[in-house]
Amino acid sequence: QLNMAKKKEAFLKEFREGPLHFQPTYKFDLNSEVYDTSEKKRKPAWTDRILWKVKNLSESASKEGKIPEEENLISVTLNSYVSHMNYGISDHKPVTGTFMLEMKPLVSDPLVVLSPEGEWSAERDVVIRYSALPELPSSAWDWIGLFQVNFRHLKDYITYAWVEDDEISFSGDSKQVYMSASEMPTTGGEFLLCYYSNNLQAIVGISEPFQV
């Protein structure tokens, strides 16, 4: 039924699916691996499915008459597509897919280069030096965050400094901002500095790892 729908419905044609190398996942008697024994005796079916589609920039850009140089900014590889027959709390058996995503950078050079100044510790205020390319659309709401090297989300920062409010010096293309010692991690470890652009809604510069 799904394969027939994919042939007829335009919006489904671009969706992909892995091979169905598992038995039908519907309909089961509860808390068992026995297919439907009720009066309806439903025919086993692959009801639970995982489909995916990669929407690249070329799709939206083509509508405006602009085609980017690099069309495939994201590639997806399916690593596994399996059912889990040991779960019996529903008349469906759950299905999972594991994917590998490769995302190519939108820009080859960072818009901001930043680094910690001197030795960092929780005993004194610390200084960050950074320089930005002229094409960076800077904002008063830009900030630099201190992150552990294994951070997973933008909100995982330890502390941050506003690039304008906490600026302490300016020289040519280089600027300095400070972070308060009271916000430094007392346990120490390995960290990164990240520059967040409010206008671009993205991290546009990451420092090399360093010790606190």
Side-chain angles (χ1 to χ4, degrees):
Q1 186 178 6
L2 176 61
N3 290 334
M4 289 189 293
K6 287 180 68 176
K7 293 178 181 179
K8 295 180 180 179
E9 302 292 342
F11 79 95
L12 282 175
K13 290 181 179 179
E14 297 178 4
F15 280 85
R16 300 176 59 189
E17 183 184 18
L20 294 173
H21 290 162
F22 49 86
Q23 67 190 71
T25 57
Y26 178 83
K27 178 183 190 298
F28 287 86
D29 293 341
L30 291 181
N31 300 308
S32 76
E33 295 186 12
V34 179
Y35 287 107
D36 188 20
T37 59
S38 69
E39 293 181 358
K40 293 185 178 180
K41 289 187 168 51
R42 291 177 177 84
K43 184 178 179 180
W46 285 273
T47 305
D48 304 275
R49 312 283 280 272
I50 297 175
L51 288 79
W52 77 91
K53 172 189 173 184
V54 176
K55 182 178 180 181
N56 288 305
L57 288 181
S58 57
E59 295 183 36
S60 56
S62 61
K63 297 178 182 178
E64 302 174 0
K66 300 177 181 179
I67 304 296
E69 296 180 1
E70 179 58 70
E71 293 188 359
N72 297 315
L73 296 173
I74 302 176
S75 64
V76 179
T77 303
L78 177 65
N79 289 339
S80 69
Y81 185 31
V82 297
S83 64
H84 301 273
M85 305 302 291
N86 55 318
Y87 287 87
I89 60 175
S90 170
D91 54 5
H92 294 254
K93 299 297 183 182
V95 172
T96 59
T98 305
F99 299 84
M100 179 177 69
L101 271 64
E102 179 183 358
M103 293 173 283
K104 299 178 182 178
L106 295 176
V107 292
S108 57
D109 297 320
L111 294 176
V112 176
V113 176
L114 66 167
S115 61
E117 291 275 271
E119 183 177 338
W120 279 38
S121 74
E123 298 176 357
R124 59 181 181 275
D125 293 348
V126 293
V127 176
I128 303 162
R129 180 180 296 275
Y130 77 92
S131 58
L133 295 181
E135 52 264 38
L136 175 70
S138 60
S139 163
W141 297 102
D142 289 357
W143 52 272
I144 297 172
L146 177 67
F147 295 81
Q148 291 184 313
V149 292
N150 60 347
F151 79 97
R152 294 176 176 271
H153 191 275
L154 185 65
K155 294 183 179 180
D156 291 343
Y157 58 81
I158 307 300
T159 184
Y160 64 89
W162 297 107
V163 295
E164 289 194 8
D165 291 351
D166 298 319
E167 183 178 313
I168 56 176
S169 71
F170 173 88
S171 175
D173 296 332
S174 178
K175 295 183 178 181
Q176 287 183 323
V177 298
Y178 81 97
M179 283 183 174
S180 172
S182 63
E183 302 296 332
M184 289 295 104
T186 57
T187 55
E190 195 171 27
F191 295 86
L192 297 166
L193 292 168
C194 298
Y195 188 109
Y196 180 80
S197 167
N198 185 68
N199 286 328
L200 298 178
Q201 295 287 292
I203 291 175
V204 295
I206 302 178
S207 74
E208 293 293 328
F210 63 96
Q211 294 288 327
V212 175

